[in-house]
Amino acid sequence: MSVSLRVLDDGAWVSVNDAREVSVSELWRLDDPSFCGCELPDFVVENVLDVGADGRTVSAKVYGQCIACGQTGVPGWVPVGRLREGEFVDIDRERVVLPVRRADDDE
Amino acid sequence: MPTDVERWKSEVYGNEIREHLLEFAEQGWDTIPEDERDAWFERFKWWGLYHQRNGQESYFMMRIGTPNGVLTPGQTEVVAEVADEYARGPAENPIFGNGYVDWTTRQSIQLHWIKLEDIPEIFDKLESVGLSTQQACGDSWRNIVGCPVAGKDKHEHVDALPVAMELNETFKGNDDHSNLPRKWKVSVTGCREGCGQGDINDLALEPATKEIDGEETKGFNIRIGGGLSRNEPRLARDIDVFVTPEQAPEVSGAISALFRENGDRDNRYNARIKFLMDEWGAEKFRNVLQEEYVDFELETAGDDLRSEYSYNSGYADGGHSDHVGIHEQADGNYYVGLDVLVGRMGVDDTKELARVADEYGSGEIRITQRQNVIITDVPEEKLDALQDEDLLDHYSPDPHPFMRGSIACTGTEFCSLSIVETKNRQVRYARWLKENVELPAGVEDFHIHLSGCTASCAQPQIADISLRGMKTRKDGEPVEALDIGLGGGLGENPNFAEWVTQRVPVDEVPGAIKNLLANFEERREGDETFREFVARTDEEDLAELVEPEETSYEDPMMHNTKRTWYPYADDDSLDASPAPTHGDGTPIASDD
């Protein structure tokens, strides 16, 4: 089943199957100590740069900053939801810790 | 690989969008196939329509382009009538009511809650008086900005209005320039005070004089690649080219063509011409322009007037810092600049504005880049009676500096990109500051710009105090916050604000401004302006002077206003949204 994934509104939204599902301005807790040195960066999402799917996991590349230390930048791929029979299933991104996949994890 | 947007543009774009738009309007919003909506909404922007954010489906923001901010007699009344009839939403704004007009920082007009089904009638009404939404948004020539009193001003080097109007005529609806890699913002300035804000535009024509064949010739120097968005602010760069007013359309078209052919269509974040300028530099840019896009020998730059620029400069150099107030025109009449707090005016007040302009002036209104309006052509003998009008009690020509200096973008009320609520918040801030904070003696211009995100529609980087939407945690809970920047401004030597304090919870920002101003007053040397004070103080010291603090100011919008369908609705939850709706406003049932 093909799934349409897009970044819309100049980076304001992740769209899945033509529905806006993930917005900028959320606060995410990332499991990515290499991003800024904070153990679990408290990351505000300012712009969505890219979206992709790895199996059933929908992930996004986003620009933003850690509100604890101020470090700005682009962490690795951040999981933002799951696909179940082609449908997007949201996760509570503001309340769970999101495991970030860095580029070198691909190797 | 081309982006989705480029692919959609390659299928249908430019003038041809209109027939599709009118067809969908005829058949109803819900006849746009679901899997084509994003493509059509992207295209509709070219005709001035932005689909509003999540929770407000089927409603649009409409932007009307008014070149150089000029509304000719009769046009303001029609804008008010259109807003009254068509720009009313399913919920009321607690400060502005339901039905209002936004005057924008690019001298345009924005209306909200527009229904697609009403577009044909709205276009008929607007076009009957020569107004248009064409290219007000989208990847093309946007509304051309300039000194809002061009052609009237006593401080004019060259009358830029005919040039701005000719550029508008030439490049609106022009198929060769209708599909650019990204938006194309143009400023044409003829006055001596820099009111066109050319430094923050993609293409800036700035007043200059050049000796050509032994004769002093008035015209424009050209700068390229300014812009504020995306954490990548740039000042437009001098490419060492002078044009006469007659050459301006041809050379501007050549530069637009250069952008069309060389801008980055693979990455929209890198598409604005400022990034091409980063890559090439001014010298290469000029060489390519000369060799590949212009058939005659370009003149090198003439003598500019930048040392006289006062507009939004933050320096007390005697010139205009804005257009508020009563000022004599070159013809002996007067223009009267009215302060419109955050640029929003209710429909009844807009109707009154049209009436007052007609009764006391020529009926013309000009829109400024500080979200204010100007009544032009008022004879001296009518000034007193004009000032007695009730309208001027609310939209004052002599406002308090905190009112006068406030600018705010649209914010999460309607905008997808914004991180925080803005317009109503800036109104609350300005009112609280006016009641609770003393400005140091002699400070009459003090600019506070609030932008909801890094797109920078409120031009935050060029204000005395720059506020930019952010998030933080307070008592463990996510809350809306603002970054605070200081000391930005234009003028002879423009510079962007330094972001000295970040992620201040929104309820502590008024206290931060109060403490900062008290610290400024204590350390001020003589009559120095705030910008001068910031310029001579190092960044670490400035950060210590900000001192965020809770005060009597209370903020009712600390939560994530983006997660509401409309932040001011009684039940603001996304589930309570009536959208999408039919043309008559009744909800479209999901099984419709």
Side-chain angles (χ1 to χ4, degrees):
Chain A
M1 185 178 293
S2 73
V3 175
S4 162
L5 298 173
R6 286 204 178 96
V7 177
L8 290 178
D9 303 339
D10 292 331
W13 285 92
V14 170
S15 160
V16 184
N17 290 333
D18 304 304
R20 285 163 175 75
E21 300 285 4
V22 182
S23 163
V24 294
S25 82
E26 292 183 343
L27 262 182
W28 295 349
R29 189 75 78 167
L30 305 181
D31 181 359
D32 185 9
S34 63
F35 176 71
C36 60
C38 293
E39 192 178 344
L40 295 173
D42 206 357
F43 184 86
V44 61
V45 184
E46 295 183 68
N47 265 119
V48 183
L49 307 176
D50 202 357
V51 60
D54 177 17
R56 288 187 302 163
T57 305
V58 178
S59 300
K61 279 263 190 189
V62 294
Y63 174 91
Q65 63 179 280
C66 172
I67 63 166
C69 70
Q71 175 70 42
T72 59
V74 182
W77 287 96
V78 183
V80 294
R82 306 270 291 168
L83 292 170
R84 189 178 298 151
E85 294 172 1
E87 298 283 312
F88 182 79
V89 180
D90 220 357
I91 53 178
D92 189 349
R93 291 172 299 274
E94 292 205 318
R95 296 192 188 277
V96 302
V97 174
L98 301 167
V100 175
R101 185 166 56 85
R102 309 293 303 192
D104 49 12
D105 295 344
D106 295 337
E107 292 169 3
Chain B
M1 200 175 82
T3 61
D4 285 327
V5 174
E6 281 299 326
R7 191 165 51 76
W8 295 333
K9 284 161 63 184
S10 71
E11 291 164 1
V12 180
Y13 209 57
N15 291 304
E16 61 179 332
I17 296 165
R18 182 180 172 116
E19 60 184 285
H20 297 277
L21 176 61
L22 295 180
E23 203 176 313
F24 284 127
E26 188 69 34
Q27 295 171 359
W29 181 86
D30 54 330
T31 65
I32 306 174
E34 264 186 57
D35 61 352
E36 295 179 20
R37 281 183 185 158
D38 292 319
W40 285 113
F41 296 159
E42 188 62 41
R43 295 175 184 130
F44 290 170
K45 291 177 186 174
W46 201 90
W47 275 98
L49 291 163
Y50 259 85
H51 193 238
Q52 286 179 193
R53 71 170 173 82
N54 253 29
Q56 300 170 3
E57 292 81 0
S58 79
Y59 291 96
F60 289 81
M61 179 276 281
M62 171 182 276
R63 188 178 294 154
I64 305 164
T66 39
N68 210 88
V70 177
L71 280 159
T72 57
Q75 290 183 334
T76 308
E77 191 178 350
V78 169
V79 169
E81 285 169 5
V82 166
D84 192 6
E85 192 167 350
Y86 304 103
R88 292 185 184 275
E92 192 161 295
N93 180 301
I95 293 176
F96 298 101
N98 203 341
Y100 35 80
V101 173
D102 283 351
W103 313 108
T104 80
T105 53
R106 286 193 60 77
Q107 295 174 285
S108 298
I109 297 161
Q110 291 183 176
L111 308 177
H112 293 93
W113 299 121
I114 298 293
K115 296 297 296 178
L116 186 62
E117 292 79 359
D118 292 328
I119 296 296
E121 280 180 32
I122 295 174
F123 278 7
D124 282 349
K125 285 177 194 275
L126 293 176
E127 289 165 6
S128 73
V129 290
L131 287 167
S132 171
T133 62
Q134 189 183 33
Q135 287 172 234
C137 318
D139 293 344
S140 187
W141 282 65
R142 299 291 190 87
N143 192 46
I144 295 168
V145 300
C147 171
V149 287
K152 315 268 182 196
D153 193 15
K154 285 173 77 174
H155 310 278
E156 207 153 54
H157 177 69
V158 53
D159 183 0
L161 192 56
V163 177
M165 292 303 177
E166 193 178 349
L167 291 179
N168 182 63
E169 286 292 312
T170 307
F171 296 107
K172 278 284 156 76
N174 182 327
D175 287 337
D176 289 339
H177 299 269
S178 66
N179 181 357
L180 300 179
R182 202 71 173 79
K183 62 180 81 168
W184 185 242
K185 294 180 172 179
V186 178
S187 165
V188 186
T189 309
C191 77
R192 312 178 77 88
E193 298 181 318
C195 312
Q197 301 199 130
D199 285 314
I200 56 169
N201 281 264
D202 295 299
L203 166 61
L205 279 70
E206 301 221 303
T209 304
K210 173 85 177 173
E211 191 178 311
I212 300 175
D213 300 330
E215 277 194 36
E216 292 285 305
T217 307
K218 288 182 175 181
F220 306 94
N221 284 346
I222 291 184
R223 286 176 181 247
I224 304 284
L228 300 175
S229 63
R230 299 239 176 269
N231 284 317
E232 299 274 3
R234 299 281 188 284
L235 294 167
R237 290 175 64 176
D238 181 359
I239 61 163
D240 194 24
V241 169
F242 172 87
V243 293
T244 62
E246 295 72 29
Q247 293 169 329
E250 184 179 347
V251 175
S252 299
I255 296 168
S256 170
L258 182 157
F259 176 50
R260 182 188 64 216
E261 302 302 322
N262 295 280
D264 185 351
R265 289 183 189 261
D266 292 334
N267 180 357
R268 288 182 67 75
Y269 298 103
N270 197 46
R272 293 286 292 276
I273 202 168
K274 63 186 177 184
F275 298 114
L276 184 65
M277 181 61 84
D278 282 356
E279 193 183 323
W280 283 8
E283 192 179 336
K284 177 177 175 183
F285 194 100
R286 190 189 198 283
N287 289 341
V288 174
L289 178 66
Q290 176 68 77
E291 286 164 18
E292 298 179 28
Y293 293 92
V294 180
D295 291 333
F296 61 91
E297 189 73 19
L298 291 165
E299 296 285 348
T300 57
D303 295 328
D304 65 37
L305 305 169
R306 293 178 66 87
S307 64
E308 297 177 47
Y309 283 10
S310 61
Y311 187 77
N312 199 20
S313 73
Y315 290 116
D317 52 8
H320 289 173
S321 197
D322 58 30
H323 294 87
V324 175
I326 301 170
H327 306 278
E328 192 176 3
Q329 297 177 180
D331 65 1
N333 287 324
Y334 287 77
Y335 70 83
V336 181
L338 307 184
D339 178 51
V340 185
L341 185 55
V342 302
R344 182 165 287 180
M345 186 178 269
V347 291
D348 291 340
D349 290 343
T350 310
K351 285 179 185 175
E352 261 303 274
L353 176 69
R355 181 193 67 76
V356 166
D358 207 37
E359 189 169 332
Y360 298 93
S362 60
E364 181 190 71
I365 292 292
R366 302 270 182 113
I367 308 163
T368 82
Q369 293 187 54
R370 297 197 56 75
Q371 300 182 326
N372 295 320
V373 293
I374 301 169
I375 298 169
T376 60
D377 309 319
V378 182
E380 188 173 7
E381 62 272 17
K382 290 188 173 181
L383 281 173
D384 287 344
L386 169 60
Q387 289 177 85
D388 287 340
E389 285 283 347
D390 291 345
L391 184 76
L392 275 67
D393 289 342
H394 194 62
Y395 304 98
S396 172
D398 185 22
H400 188 283
F402 285 128
M403 301 289 174
R404 182 176 190 149
S406 289
I407 286 183
C409 70
T410 298
T412 51
E413 182 179 10
F414 299 113
C415 177
S416 274
L417 272 167
S418 186
I419 297 175
V420 299
E421 186 220 27
T422 54
K423 276 204 192 292
N424 285 30
R425 175 167 285 137
Q426 184 64 22
V427 170
R428 297 194 298 270
Y429 281 177
R431 288 176 179 168
W432 188 90
L433 291 168
K434 182 182 169 190
E435 293 303 314
N436 294 281
V437 179
E438 285 285 321
L439 273 159
V443 176
E444 288 172 6
D445 291 299
F446 193 76
H447 295 172
I448 302 178
H449 297 188
L450 170 54
S451 216
C453 73
T454 57
S456 302
C457 299
Q459 304 171 349
Q461 298 95 332
I462 54 169
D464 291 303
I465 293 188
S466 317
L467 304 175
R468 183 174 65 191
M470 204 14 84
K471 275 288 177 65
T472 194
R473 282 187 202 275
K474 184 163 179 166
D475 304 325
E477 290 298 312
V479 295
E480 296 197 349
L482 297 172
D483 289 342
I484 299 180
L486 304 177
L490 297 179
E492 180 184 8
N493 297 306
N495 70 276
F496 299 128
E498 302 266 4
W499 296 101
V500 300
T501 305
Q502 301 192 313
R503 299 175 297 281
V504 178
V506 288
D507 61 336
E508 297 178 27
V509 170
I513 295 173
K514 181 178 183 174
N515 291 334
L516 173 66
L517 284 169
N519 286 325
F520 163 51
E521 186 163 27
E522 198 178 303
R523 291 161 178 78
R524 188 182 189 195
E525 292 178 0
D527 292 332
E528 74 179 343
T529 66
F530 184 76
R531 187 175 171 197
E532 290 163 338
F533 166 72
V534 171
R536 71 167 172 83
T537 308
D538 74 45
E539 199 176 323
E540 279 180 23
D541 291 342
L542 285 171
E544 284 178 16
L545 304 181
V546 175
E547 300 182 276
E549 184 183 24
E550 287 184 7
T551 58
S552 61
Y553 172 84
E554 289 183 12
D555 201 303
M557 295 285 152
M558 299 281 284
H559 59 301
N560 189 342
T561 49
K562 204 73 166 287
R563 292 233 174 133
T564 66
W565 76 270
Y566 186 66
Y568 313 114
D570 289 338
D571 182 353
D572 66 2
S573 67
L574 279 163
D575 292 342
S577 170
T581 63
H582 292 291
D584 62 4
T586 57
I588 299 172
S590 56
D591 58 354
D592 242 9

